[in-house]
């Protein structure tokens, strides 16, 4: 798990996500833990990745469950919720 210390660092990690690097778990001081999953347009591709990687399947299921409980937020909402104070 990574520790993010600035919004710029978070954006750099998001920009570097790709097919092979599609899941990023991190925490932010003063906030809770987050799991960021890059979702592709092709559902068959996601399905095959999940079939190949049981840990990815578990993480996606946990993310869906948390989202249904109202604990999900978009990347924009996450960034908007952060301030310089969070990284002190």
């Amino acid at each position: 798990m990574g520790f993010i210390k600035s919004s710029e660092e978070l954006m750099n990690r998001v920009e570097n996500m790709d097919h092979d690097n599609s899941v990023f778990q991190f925490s932010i001081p003063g906030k809770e833990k987050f799991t960021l999953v890059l979702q592709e347009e092709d559902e068959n591709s996601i399905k095959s990745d999940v079939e190949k990687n049981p840990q990815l399947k578990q993480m996606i299921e946990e993310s869906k469950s948390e989202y249904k409980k109202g604990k999900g937020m978009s990347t924009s909402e996450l960034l908007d919720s952060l301030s310089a104070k969070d990284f002190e």
Side-chain angles (χ1 to χ4, degrees), residues 5 12 25-26 28 47 56 81:
K5 297 181 181 170
N12 285 336
Q25 290 185 314
F26 61 97
I28 297 172
K47 184 178 178 182
L56 178 59
S81 75

Side-chain angles (χ1 to χ4, degrees), residues 10-66:
L10 178 59
M11 286 309 299
N12 285 336
R13 293 295 297 259
V14 170
E15 288 173 354
N16 290 322
M17 293 179 78
D18 59 22
H19 177 75
D20 295 324
N21 182 23
S22 61
V23 178
F24 174 47
Q25 290 185 314
F26 61 97
S27 65
I28 297 172
K31 300 287 183 181
E32 294 191 28
K33 297 176 186 174
F34 298 89
T35 301
L36 187 60
V37 179
L38 177 65
Q39 295 181 335
E40 297 180 19
E41 295 292 322
D42 182 5
E43 282 293 320
N44 292 328
S45 177
I46 294 171
K47 184 178 178 182
S48 72
D49 286 345
V50 167
E51 289 170 354
K52 292 177 197 173
N53 185 342
Q55 185 180 13
L56 178 59
K57 180 178 183 177
Q58 177 185 351
M59 290 169 62
I60 290 175
E61 292 302 321
E62 288 172 1
S63 293
K64 286 180 183 178
S65 174
E66 294 296 303

